[in-house]
Amino acid sequence: MAGDPNTIRTPVRAREHITVTGLREKKELGERIVVVTAYDYPSARLADKAGVDVVLVGDTVGIMALGYDNTVPVTLDEMVHHVSSVRRGLKWALLLADLPFGTYESGSDEAIRSSVRLMKEGGAQAVKIEGGAWLASSVQRMTNAGIPVVGHVGLMPQSVNLLGGHKAQGREPEQAERIREDALALEAAGAVGILLEAIPAALAARITADLTVPTIGIGAGVGCDGQVQVWHDLLGIPPGKPYRHVKRYAAVGEVIESALRTYAEEVRNGVFPSEENSL
Ligand code: KIV
C-alpha cells in the first residue's frame, strides 16, 4: 500500500537502524520487509551486513541449533543465551525474539516477566508470541509496559502436540475467519506486527489488507508485507527435501561437509599443515 506522496519522511533505509515504527512506515510506503532467523553472532553479523530488516531469534533454534524434535522444549534461558549472542552481531536490523512455550500462557504477569528477560538480558527490541484473541489482554498489558509485541497466528508450532503435527491452517472458511479475527484482535490490543504461518495466500492477503500493522509471512504467499525464512532452510543446511514454503538460496550444508572431508583427508595423509601453515 503506498503512503501519501506529499508527506516528507526520511527514507527508512537512511536511518541508523530499523525500529518498529520504521516497519509500519515500510508497510505504508509499500516496501516489503525482509526477515530471517539467526541464532548466533556470526549469522547475525552476516544477516545485518546483507541488509535484512529484522532478525528473528525464533524458537526454531531448538530444532536447528539444539537438536530438539520440535520447539516445545526450548527454555527461556536458552532463548536469552542465543538472543544476546545475536544482539552482538547487529547494527541495522531490529532484533525480534520468540517467547518460548510455557513462558507466557498463564497470564500477562508471566508474559511481561519473560519478555523483560529477553529485552534486558538478551537485548531484544520486540517479542513474538504464538496465539490469537485469547492473548489480547496480555498483549495489551505488555504494550502498556513498553514491550513491542508481534503476534503469530495460523500454524502455531508450539501447539504441535494439540495439532498432531505441523499442518497448514485456515483452509476451511470457519477456521480462516477465526485466524483473521485473531489477527485483528491482536492488532487492536497493540501488536506491532503479525506473523502469518502456513495459511492460504488469499487469506494472508486479505488479513494484510485488513490490518494497519505489517504482516510477515512464512508459507503464506506473496501478499504479505514481508517474508521470513529460517536461516538453515534458506541456506540449504538441513539434509533431505525442504518444506514447500522453503526456497534454498545456497547449498551450504554440502559446502561445509565437503570442506570438512577435505580437511580430514589432508590431516590423515599429512598434507595439512604444510610449511605455509607452520611457524
Ligand atoms: O521460530 C521461528 O523461527 C518462527 C518461524 C515461523 C520463522 O517463528
Side-chain angles (χ1 to χ4, degrees), residues 37 39 56 58-60 98 128 130 152 195 197 218 228 230:
T37 70
Y39 313 118
L56 166 65
D59 55 3
T60 44
D98 264 348
K128 180 164 75 60
E130 287 186 19
H152 181 151
L195 190 141
E197 179 163 359
I218 179 162
V228 58
V230 168

Side-chain angles (χ1 to χ4, degrees), residues 216-257:
I216 306 296
I218 179 162
V222 75
C224 301
D225 296 306
Q227 298 292 326
V228 58
Q229 287 279 286
V230 168
W231 176 271
H232 293 63
D233 288 337
L234 181 153
L235 294 174
I237 297 173
K241 196 170 179 288
Y243 286 117
R244 182 167 163 197
H245 67 261
V246 171
K247 180 164 177 185
R248 283 187 169 164
Y249 287 83
V252 170
E254 282 166 29
V255 172
I256 293 173
E257 191 179 325

